[in-house]
Amino acid sequence: MAPGTDEAAADVPEAPRAEADARPDDRRHPWRAFRTWRHRRPFGAGLALAFGGAEILLTQRASVSVILAAGADSLAGYVLPIMMIVCGLLVVVNPGQRLFYSIIGVLASLATWVTSNLGGFFIGMLFGLIGSTLVFGWVPDRPRRSWRRKSRPA
């Protein structure tokens, strides 16, 4: 055989793998990669905020021509739930700006009480408020403190 063929390369032992390569690759386990991505952000809270906006949006029954003829009051009934959905998705994608998005989400959720069938019959408004407050209270992962037991002075 010629020295440059595949069989000649098969006789050479492989170099030892590094520790990082010994772990299972995240590309082979997409659910594991998704789980680690999800745990680094307020995923459930953002989905609750977006779900609240979607529920409010689904309770609106007017066509676009009626909204444009009725004026800004009817338009706000559609704009506020869309803002809630966008804020919920942006919280998941960009958790660094979570405080701003949560404040906008709370204000939009409370404003739907007046503009959108009592906040989507309370359900959408409550989901929006709960999701926004959970986003506001979420903090990024920090290393755990080592709790030391202090000895009492005698």
Side-chain angles (χ1 to χ4, degrees), residues 7 10-11 19 28 34 37 55-56 59 66 80 88 90 111 120 122 132-133 135 141 144 152:
E7 291 179 15
D11 294 337
E19 272 187 46
R28 293 183 192 163
F34 175 71
W37 177 83
E55 197 275 332
I56 293 170
T59 60
V66 172
L80 292 174
L90 284 175
F122 302 111
S132 296
T133 54
V135 167
D141 288 339
R144 291 185 174 220
R152 294 182 182 173

Side-chain angles (χ1 to χ4, degrees), residues 16-37:
R17 296 178 116 181
E19 272 187 46
D21 293 336
R23 293 183 318 170
D25 194 14
D26 284 341
R27 288 177 286 166
R28 293 183 192 163
H29 304 285
W31 286 112
R32 183 178 296 159
F34 175 71
R35 185 174 52 205
T36 57
W37 177 83

